[in-house]
Amino acid sequence: MHERKRLLIGGDEARGEPGEPPLVSVNPATGEVNHEVEAAGSATVDAAAHDADRAARQPSWRDMLPMQRARILFGIADRMEGQGDTLARLQMLENGKVWSECAKQVKSAAATFRYYGAVCETTGSEITPARGDYLSMSVYEPYGVVAAITPWNSPLTMEAQKIAPALAAGNAVVLKPSEVTPSTGLAVGRIALEAGLPPGILNVLPGTGQAVGAALVAHSLVRMVSFTGGTESGRRIAVAAANKLMPVALELGGKSPHIVFADADIDAAVAAVADGIFEGSGQSCVAGSRLFVQRAVHDRVVAGLVERARALKLDLPDVPGAQMGPLATFAHRDKVEGMVEAARAAGARILAGGGRPEAAPLARGAYYLPTVIGGIDNSAGIARQEIFGPVLCVIPFDTEDDLVAQANDSAFGLAAGIWTSDYKRAWRVARALQAGTVWINTYKQLSVATPFGGFKDSGIGREKGVAGMRLYQQPKGIYFGMD
Ligand code: NAD
């Protein structure tokens, strides 16, 4: 009999919805069942939304001074670090990320709570320039109940990125974690209570997107939704939100171009391109999955990448030195495998990987080899769809104009990387690329202080930074007559 976790509503453990089957958490590195988690449904969503709404309107939360809210956020950060090994292990068991990355993500999530504690305590309202005999100002108020809906690739950091600013802004939050990774959110919910967050201000409802996510988005008491996940789910949420005239923040998929000009530091570029796609087994929204290489250095760059792909240490996630773990689920591994096979059938050349590791113990897990694909152009299906796996598509280019046109020829616009020693070109290309984040001579450098989000099908709105708290507030104008 496996452990069965419960929901968190109104500060208490709550039973799942009768009739909703529990979520079964499977370790993708071994195929073994970790535990079960009771699942919410539409009645539980209704109960949690009412609880959150009541809690949000209590003076104990509504009128809490920003410095007091900040102290709670700092307390959450301290406790997350204190329970860092437990949190990192929960994530590792559920999505298969290697230990070093999970441990790093606990620290990053704690830092996000600290950052928004500081933002909450230090960001004020504004006096606006008067145009007559009055005093006018802009104050910022919470929406009330905010729904946070998250994916499985990095639950620790993605959930902190939503919960911390939404709480700093004075809202109550109902978190719907991914059905694949429900446990870290439940653990952070309990930590928040220990840190003094009033009951009902953070509720955690594991369950499916259809039964729980959609019901939350549609609920009349939920006044804002912050979503990270796939573009098609994001589109459905945006349509449902439009019917309620409700704001949404959507962080969606990507097919980010990673660009190497011939004048770049090639060794540094090759290392960054490999990390940019293979870290986290490619399950990163900003994975640099389309490599554009200037033709003069194409063969050298590809040779370097193939060597790195073959040398990468795939292992069980808790083995010291493991560089790549499995994909998060067996179904996702099969999907990635199917996409590579379709590319092969369409004439692409598999330069490295292109299959599962066959030796024990990895053969038991949802592993897929780091894969490099050539012999395609930017119109190939594999160069256009998000794969969300360790699969790099290599496409040569000749001129800067040709590069910019190809890099922008994508439905997505999340991120991009440029390697060149010509700083004027780096600036020109960075400004010409349709992407929410551009890295120059670095890749996947992320900071909680810098806005993050996507152009085009990669999303709406920007998380992080001081504005990341404003995302969860609405401005109100107030006038005092002075004549
Ligand atoms: P997904 O869209 O399938 O699911 C994400 C979350 O949404 C889950 O909790 C799911 O249960 C829920 N959901 C699904 N359909 C819903 C609906 N109709 N209404 C409400 N909720 C719904 O995505 P995933 O497979 O979990 O994650 C992978 C995707 O997430 C990739 O496309 C990746 O690029 C994207 N992602 C984006 C970012 C970013 O910051 N831009 C970060 C990480 C992942």
Side-chain angles (χ1 to χ4, degrees), residues 43-402:
T44 347
V45 165
D46 188 48
H50 276 96
D51 250 46
D53 182 57
R54 257 193 308 278
R57 285 188 286 110
Q58 290 294 319
S60 57
W61 179 245
R62 204 191 54 204
D63 300 337
M64 187 183 276
L65 296 173
M67 65 176 199
Q68 294 168 324
R69 276 211 301 273
R71 204 171 301 143
I72 294 175
L73 295 176
F74 296 146
I76 296 175
D78 293 345
R79 282 173 173 77
M80 284 183 78
E81 282 178 342
Q83 299 176 38
D85 281 1
T86 308
L87 291 172
R89 189 173 162 73
L90 272 179
Q91 176 170 289
M92 181 186 74
L93 287 176
E94 291 192 332
N95 75 1
K97 279 208 166 171
V98 295
W99 174 259
S100 54
E101 194 174 346
C102 293
K104 216 163 61 188
Q105 290 191 322
V106 174
K107 288 201 163 62
S108 163
T112 297
F113 277 96
R114 265 190 207 108
Y115 177 84
Y116 280 107
V119 171
C120 168
E121 191 167 350
T122 54
T123 311
S125 305
E126 293 127 25
I127 306 250
T128 51
R131 301 172 70 89
D133 200 6
Y134 55 83
L135 171 68
S136 54
M137 56 193 303
S138 179
V139 297
Y140 297 86
E141 302 202 340
Y143 284 100
V145 181
V146 166
I149 303 177
T150 48
W152 40 257
N153 58 328
S154 295
L156 282 165
T157 50
M158 305 274 138
E159 286 162 12
Q161 212 165 294
K162 298 187 184 313
I163 295 169
L167 296 180
N171 297 282
V173 176
V174 183
L175 168 68
K176 206 300 278 175
S178 162
E179 39 277 67
V180 178
T181 50
S183 297
T184 50
L186 286 168
V188 172
R190 280 190 294 274
I191 284 175
L193 287 167
E194 288 165 24
L197 193 73
I201 295 297
L202 175 57
N203 306 276
V204 186
L205 299 189
T208 63
Q210 286 73 22
V212 183
L216 261 177
V217 174
H219 200 284
S220 60
L221 290 176
V222 171
R223 292 310 317 155
M224 193 267 176
V225 171
S226 180
F227 170 81
T228 297
T231 293
E232 285 321 308
S233 313
R235 215 184 291 283
R236 275 195 288 276
I237 290 170
V239 168
N243 283 324
K244 288 171 66 184
L245 299 177
M246 172 179 71
V248 286
L250 303 173
E251 302 285 352
L252 308 177
K255 189 78 184 176
S256 299
H258 205 159
I259 298 156
V260 181
F261 283 97
D263 63 0
D265 175 340
I266 299 296
D267 291 341
V270 166
V273 170
D275 285 352
I277 182 67
F278 299 136
E279 195 185 56
S281 303
Q283 300 165 114
S284 161
C285 52
V286 294
S289 49
R290 279 188 303 156
L291 170 64
F292 289 98
V293 200
Q294 202 156 24
R295 214 173 289 274
V297 291
H298 175 272
D299 292 355
R300 183 173 158 206
V301 169
V302 169
L305 285 166
V306 167
E307 195 183 315
R308 278 185 176 265
R310 293 193 178 136
L312 213 73
K313 186 169 157 52
L314 257 69
D315 217 324
L316 295 173
D318 55 353
V319 168
Q323 291 173 302
M324 208 176 105
L327 295 175
T329 66
F330 288 83
H332 185 54
R333 191 267 309 273
D334 295 352
K335 187 173 153 213
V336 169
E337 186 173 56
M339 291 169 106
V340 173
E341 287 316 309
R344 199 197 300 263
R349 283 192 299 125
I350 311 299
L351 306 172
R356 308 173 181 189
E358 281 163 12
L362 304 193
R364 285 192 300 150
Y367 284 84
Y368 197 74
L369 294 168
T371 298
V372 180
I373 296 185
I376 53 169
D377 63 26
N378 192 46
S379 66
I382 196 91
R384 304 196 79 76
Q385 304 147 342
E386 184 181 42
I387 304 172
F388 220 57
V391 180
L392 179 67
C393 296
V394 185
I395 301 165
F397 73 90
D398 293 304
T399 64
E400 191 180 311
D401 287 349
D402 161 36

